[in-house]
Amino acid sequence: QVQLVESGGDLVQAGGSLRLSCAASGTTLSGNIVGWYRQVPGKQREQSELVAYISRGGGTNYRDSVKGRFTISRDNARNTVYLQMNSLKPEDTAVYYCYATVGVKNYWGQGTQVTVSS
């Protein structure tokens, strides 16, 4: 059974930094697509934004609004994916969800709240 557990969400002032973690069990993240979505306030879960992901080949991709500020990485030894978020802005406030695509199935974490105050 695949499980993803996020941590690291917090309340932070604008300009600050946070690092989100997503620890996986039941599967190996290496070689699979892993990444982060976020659900901003007022939007439904189905309208979540793709923030960043690591492709099966290891390439990284980011939505334009976070390029240069966020960095996604994976620690294969810990089977964990990270999202380092710097220069946070109030519009980054959201519930952040980790996901993994293993074969043709998608798996999701429970979400972690990030709140950025102005």
Side-chain angles (χ1 to χ4, degrees), residues 16-80:
S17 298
L18 284 175
R19 188 177 79 156
L20 306 183
S21 300
C22 174
S25 61
T27 190
T28 301
L29 294 180
S30 176
N32 290 304
I33 302 171
V34 295
W36 295 87
Y37 274 82
R38 66 187 181 188
Q39 179 184 3
V40 300
K43 294 289 184 71
Q44 298 296 318
R45 175 76 185 269
E46 295 73 23
Q47 299 171 294
S48 294
E49 307 171 344
L50 178 60
V51 177
Y53 71 94
I54 302 174
S55 68
R56 287 194 170 93
T60 56
N61 298 270
Y62 301 90
R63 70 181 297 108
D64 286 345
S65 62
V66 308
K67 285 180 180 177
R69 300 188 298 122
F70 290 12
T71 302
I72 188 171
S73 62
R74 182 178 60 207
D75 185 331
N76 293 333
R78 289 182 166 82
N79 209 28
T80 298

